[in-house]
Each structure stands twice: as structure tokens, then as C-alpha cells.
Amino acid sequence: MFGVYLLFLLCLSLWAVSTVVVVRGEDPYLFFTWNVSYGTIAPIGIPQQGILINGKFPGPNINTTTNNNVVINIFNNIDEPLLFTWLGIQHRKNSWQDGVLGTNCPIPPGTNFTYKFQVKDQIGSYMYYPVTGMHKAAGGFGGLRINSRNLIPVPYDPPEDDYTIIAGDWFSKGHKTLKKILDSGRNLGRCDGVHINGKGAKGDGKDSPMFTMEAGKTYKYRICNAGLKTSLNIRFQGHKMKLVEMEGSHTIQNDYESLDVHVGQCFGVLVTADQEPMDYYVVASTRFTKREMTVTGLIRYNNGKGVASPKLPPAPRGSWGWSLNQFRTFRWNLTASAARPNPQGSYKYGSINITRTIKLANTATKIDGKLRYAINGASFVEPTTPLKLAEYYHVADKVFKYDTIKDDPPAEITHVTMEPVVLNITFKNFVEIIFENREKAIQSWHVSGYSFFAVAVEPGTWDLEKRMNYNLLDAVSRHTIQVFPRSWAAILVTFDNCGMWNIRSETWDRHYLGQQLYASILSPEKSIRDEYNMPESAAVCGVVAGLPRPPPPYS
């Protein structure tokens, strides 16, 4: 009888929490239920309407392990359609779960939708956020971590604890007002402040600690920049950081006094509690802005005595050259384990022949007096029908055309169109993409569905001779790359993940006003080994609403 009672209590406790782990004959499943609603938040001390997940801002951490299946049932309780994306998760063969408007219908108010995806081969630190409108400016973001299986040891001792820092710039006007500003043809201007995990320390000696440490122990901090447009510098008062992971790649373990984290990027660092036991600050400050804005979060040593010093470690001085030099120090640890039991450096990307070069040049322009951002002369417009749906239903010609921009843009882009942009890329082609920044503002680019090798970031303009300077041995594999003013960045990627994938600016006003496109990669063999068929649960909208569902094309 006592055993039955214990079983009842166990079942009751599992039902009561929002995360449930179920072990089947296949890989484990993690189930989440999210209620998304509005609530009052004040990240920089000014109360405003924010987006909460289960009443929390930022949202809850998604804590997973390699090969876990993640199921998230989202109830949309705000007054606008909503979508979430999982930044950096590759969704192998399954762009249906990417959570962007090119692949998914948004979740209407008062309804729910369930995301189902598997996290494979991507040990590391990631984040999620809403992609519709300017919802990212109101919250709805949080951390997503993928832990290593016991079979795959990471190249450092297990930390005492594992913390997430979601930092970013913040605008006090509210997401609906910011959307109206962009719709009117203006840019957002500079931010009003910075937050760490939705708040900041007041420094009056009464702050509660965000994080705790014990003398002599080492802790992992996962740092993500979830802001709209501003690069941040992160540093720990009195402590060094050992960079051990970057967007899923384990780097050589260099020590840093501070790190520049650009929009959309996530780093994993180790911090050892090797100072006098007392309070210290973790500091985030804006980079490349006319006026530096700084926020702090309190770190408390267990049994420590003494308040944190008001003297904060300074941010790097000078132009973006410091940040460029720091990028050059990031190198892959070729001897560390990958997500499978083999070294990371076993994939010799530097010996693969390039089959296609695509140069993407960003520009700012005005159309009918309103600001728009473009790539190679095209400013992206979101169609009412997701691109992937149109392609799957064989009505792509009613929604978009393939390859409307050239792989090599002219030196001067004088005419800009407004249209959906979709590149048709051959399955398994090894492609070189050059992000060319022709403007004075720093850029941040993301490629969904893939990790790429960031082989070069340099000032000036790119030409074929610049390949001589590529890092073809130990460049970090990642999903987001910065491009400095009047500079370029080169990445190499094998397009072996079929689907419709977003290539976009992570600078959110640029993304909203057209600086994005999609890449379509189809299975030549029509094989389910290359891509999954459309899930039965997938929502339909736009021109395909009411049409009979096509027979599954892949078998």
C-alpha cells in the first residue's frame, strides 16, 4: 500500500511542474507548457508592458541534453499573432519547426500551437525569442542550453553550477510604439538602457544577488546578447573569464578580462571564485555608441563579507579594431570531443572545394520617403503565405520567385525593389558567403538551420585574393557573425540540411525593414532521409488555406 502511495505522489509531482521528462524506447522527450501573456516589467526602472512566459521575464530556461526531443505547447494570450524561434538550433531536416514567418503561420491570439524538435549534435548555449513584429523588444526571450551526454566529455571539469545571463539593450517606448516608428519610415535611434536578466543592480547595498559562488569553486556562465541592435561588452569585477564554448563550439580555453558579445551571439565562460569572499559585479555596457550605458548584476560569495566596490572594471576603449582583434583570437579546440565520440577537428572543412560564392551586400535606402534596408538591391517583404508552405503546396509562383538577386552585386546599388527573396541552393553544395557591410554601422548576421565556419572578418572590400588569409584549420563553427563598418566577413557552409532557411540581420530594426532572405534546399532524391514531410499538426494560412493537403512528397 505504501508503494502505491509513493507512486501516486510521484505522478502528482510530475503533473504539477511545467516540464516533464518522459523516457521511451527512443531518445528522451521533454514536455513544456508555456502561457504567453502581457505583464508589467521595468528592466531599466520604467514600468511598461512586457511579454511574459508563465509569468516570468525573461522566460524559463530550456535545459536539455544532446538528442533530447523537445515539445513546447504555447498558448498565445496576447492580442497579436505570435511566433518563437530557437536561435542556433539546426532542426535537422525539419525547417517546419524553425519558428519564422517564412516557414510557419503565426499563432493567432487565444489559440495554441505545439513545437516539436530534436536537439542533435549541438552541445552548447543558445536562446529563444519571439520573431513577429517588434515583440522581441517586449521580452519573451530566454536561454536554451544543450548539455553533453555522459558519453561525450567536454574539455573541462564539470562546473559547480551553471548560470544563464540574458543581456541586451532596452527601449522604454514599448514594442507597439517602436513598430509604429519603423512603419513610419524612421529608425529606432539609440537604446534607453541595458539590462541583465531583465533587471540591474542599484548599487545601494540592498541588492539581492543574481548569482552565488563559493570560494575555490568554478562556475559556468552562459552569456547571450538578446538585444535589438547594440553590441555589449561583458566583464566580471575582479575575475577573469575562460572562454570555453561559443554557440556550440568548444574553443581553446583562453582567458579574457572582457568579451564583446554582439547581437544574437552566445558565449560560455568559466569563472573561478578565487578572490576575497565578498560581493562583486558582473558588468554589461554598450559598445560603439556615442554614450556608453552600463548595467550591473550582483554576484555574492557564500559566507562572504563586504559589499561590492563601486569601482567597475572599464570597458575597452577606442574603435571596433579592439573587437576585431578579439575575434581573431577565437579558435576551435581541435582535440576536444564533438557531439559524437570524435574530435571536433576531424571535419576538414579547409580541404573542401567551394562550389558557389554568394556575396550579400547590405544597404540603407528610402522608398517612397520611408527607410528600408536591403540585400543586393532587394528589401524583403513578408508574404501572407509562408514561403515553405507555398513551395510544399506547389504554388510558389503565386508567392515568390527564386533567385531574384545576383550572387555578385554591383559596386553601386542604385535601385531597390521590395519583394520576398529566396535563393535556390543545391543540396550539399559547399558555399562561400561574403557578408559585405557598405555602411558605417556594425552588422550582425545569422544563418538558421546551420552552423558555419567563420573563416575571416576584415576591413575593406573582398576579392578572390582575400581567400589567402582565410583560417582553413581551426575557425570556430557558429551561427551568428558580426561585420564591422566598411568591412566584410567570410563564412563557409555545407548546405546539407534540406528546408527553407532564414538568413537575416540580427539587428532587429534592419530585419524588420527588409534585411533578410531565405535559402531553399530541396532533396534531389525526394527522400525522407533528407527532409521530413509536413507535420500533420502544421498550421496553414494565406493562399493555401482551404486547399487539399498535397500527398507527402518524401518517402
Side-chain angles (χ1 to χ4, degrees):
M1 183 66 183
F2 182 71
V4 174
Y5 179 70
L6 280 179
L7 181 61
F8 169 76
L9 287 180
L10 177 60
C11 292
L12 184 64
S13 64
L14 285 175
W15 172 82
V17 296
S18 60
T19 307
V20 179
V21 179
V22 177
V23 179
R24 302 176 179 175
E26 51 188 312
D27 293 312
Y29 277 72
L30 276 68
F31 292 89
F32 300 82
T33 297
W34 284 5
N35 285 290
V36 182
S37 62
Y38 287 132
T40 300
I41 60 175
I44 58 174
I46 302 171
Q48 61 191 97
Q49 185 186 65
I51 294 178
L52 314 180
I53 299 175
N54 295 344
K56 295 181 179 180
F57 168 76
N61 262 324
I62 300 176
N63 193 13
T64 70
T65 300
T66 301
N67 289 355
N68 280 173
N69 295 283
V70 178
V71 181
I72 306 176
N73 189 13
I74 296 177
F75 291 83
N76 179 12
N77 298 305
I78 68 172
D79 59 1
E80 296 178 307
L82 184 68
L83 269 182
F84 284 88
T85 194
W86 324 96
L87 192 72
I89 304 303
Q90 293 180 16
H91 305 290
R92 301 301 298 181
K93 307 187 293 184
N94 194 14
S95 65
W96 300 104
Q97 304 298 325
D98 198 30
V100 290
L101 289 169
T103 55
N104 296 93
C105 303
I107 309 168
T111 67
N112 71 299
F113 177 77
T114 300
Y115 288 94
K116 299 176 182 178
F117 56 89
Q118 188 176 34
V119 292
K120 291 184 69 68
D121 303 347
Q122 290 187 259
I123 302 165
S125 307
Y126 306 90
M127 62 179 165
Y128 62 84
Y129 57 74
V131 296
T132 34
M134 292 298 292
H135 289 146
K136 189 183 181 188
F141 43 70
L144 195 167
R145 63 179 66 164
I146 304 177
N147 302 301
S148 172
R149 293 173 290 164
N150 292 334
L151 176 67
I152 312 296
V154 293
Y156 49 86
D157 292 334
E160 180 68 15
D161 211 336
D162 197 325
Y163 295 127
T164 296
I165 292 177
I166 302 293
D169 57 13
W170 195 261
F171 292 76
S172 61
K173 292 185 175 67
H175 72 283
K176 293 182 179 179
T177 300
L178 295 179
K179 183 176 182 297
K180 289 179 181 178
I181 290 172
L182 295 177
D183 290 340
S184 71
R186 296 174 288 155
N187 64 32
L188 296 182
R190 64 170 179 254
C191 64
D192 298 305
V194 186
H195 72 91
I196 296 176
N197 288 352
K199 52 190 172 184
K202 295 180 180 179
D204 57 2
K206 300 178 181 179
D207 293 305
S208 299
M210 284 189 183
F211 313 104
T212 58
M213 299 198 299
E214 184 175 342
K217 301 294 180 64
T218 298
Y219 297 79
K220 184 170 184 179
Y221 287 82
R222 302 171 187 265
I223 304 167
C224 293
N225 185 341
L228 292 184
K229 60 185 299 180
T230 312
S231 299
L232 298 178
N233 182 266
I234 306 293
R235 50 210 186 271
F236 287 74
Q237 188 180 43
H239 297 72
K240 289 184 178 180
M241 295 175 283
K242 186 178 290 293
L243 180 63
V244 294
E245 178 257 314
M246 182 185 300
E247 299 168 13
S249 290
H250 297 292
T251 65
I252 291 178
Q253 299 175 19
N254 291 332
D255 289 331
Y256 294 89
E257 300 284 349
S258 68
L259 284 168
D260 276 357
V261 185
H262 305 281
V263 179
Q265 295 180 351
C266 290
F267 292 173
V269 303
L270 297 181
V271 176
T272 299
D274 56 3
Q275 301 297 308
E276 179 185 352
M278 56 182 288
D279 289 352
Y280 296 90
Y281 288 121
V282 56
V283 185
S285 59
T286 59
R287 293 283 277 141
F288 322 122
T289 55
K290 290 183 179 179
R291 181 167 64 93
E292 182 182 294
M293 299 181 187
T294 299
V295 67
T296 59
L298 192 67
I299 300 172
R300 175 158 294 164
Y301 273 60
N302 292 332
N303 301 316
K305 297 180 180 179
V307 298
S309 168
K311 185 177 181 180
L312 302 180
R317 300 301 177 189
S319 68
W320 48 265
W322 184 94
S323 191
L324 172 59
N325 287 332
Q326 185 172 81
F327 164 82
R328 291 169 174 159
T329 69
F330 300 151
R331 290 291 185 266
W332 220 9
N333 183 348
L334 300 183
T335 63
S337 294
R340 297 189 180 95
N342 58 293
Q344 289 196 105
S346 60
Y347 180 71
K348 308 295 183 182
Y349 71 92
S351 62
I352 304 174
N353 292 328
I354 294 170
T355 53
R356 182 178 177 182
T357 297
I358 303 172
K359 185 190 294 184
L360 301 177
N362 57 272
T363 53
T365 189
K366 285 193 174 182
I367 299 177
D368 297 329
K370 293 185 177 183
L371 176 65
R372 295 292 301 186
Y373 295 104
I375 303 172
N376 293 9
S379 184
F380 189 90
V381 177
E382 297 279 9
T384 57
T385 305
L387 305 168
K388 183 62 179 175
L389 273 181
E391 190 176 66
Y392 195 86
Y393 274 75
H394 309 293
V395 294
D397 58 328
K398 297 182 179 179
V399 178
F400 68 91
K401 296 180 180 179
Y402 294 99
D403 294 326
T404 57
I405 62 172
K406 296 181 179 180
D407 286 0
D408 188 12
E412 295 292 332
I413 297 175
T414 57
H415 178 68
V416 173
T417 62
M418 293 178 62
E419 58 184 319
V421 181
V422 179
L423 302 180
N424 191 0
I425 296 182
T426 302
F427 183 46
K428 292 187 178 181
N429 266 12
F430 190 65
V431 178
E432 173 187 51
I433 299 179
I434 310 299
F435 295 109
E436 185 177 272
N437 184 6
R438 299 182 178 182
E439 301 177 64
K440 297 179 180 179
I442 190 171
Q443 309 288 312
S444 188
W445 285 93
H446 171 73
V447 179
S448 65
Y450 294 91
S451 288
F452 54 72
F453 291 96
V455 294
V457 175
E458 297 292 341
T461 57
W462 180 88
D463 56 46
L464 286 174
E465 292 185 359
K466 298 297 194 302
R467 289 179 178 172
M468 299 292 294
N469 299 325
Y470 283 5
N471 177 0
L472 298 180
L473 176 64
D474 58 0
V476 174
S477 173
R478 55 195 305 187
H479 56 70
T480 303
I481 188 67
Q482 73 272 18
V483 192
F484 298 102
R486 310 294 190 192
S487 302
W488 55 271
I491 68 171
L492 300 177
V493 56
T494 301
F495 279 94
D496 59 354
N497 189 14
C498 288
M500 182 74 71
W501 302 107
N502 196 206
I503 301 175
R504 64 176 178 267
S505 173
E506 279 296 308
T507 308
W508 212 248
D509 49 359
R510 289 179 168 271
H511 168 271
Y512 182 85
L513 292 178
Q515 196 168 307
Q516 61 169 313
L517 53 79
Y518 283 82
S520 172
I521 301 94
L522 298 173
S523 167
E525 304 296 330
K526 299 292 184 181
S527 172
I528 202 167
R529 292 174 300 177
D530 300 332
E531 184 175 13
Y532 296 142
N533 290 305
M534 178 179 172
E536 288 296 324
S537 60
V540 295
C541 55
V543 298
V544 303
L547 294 180
R549 183 171 297 209
Y554 301 137
S555 58

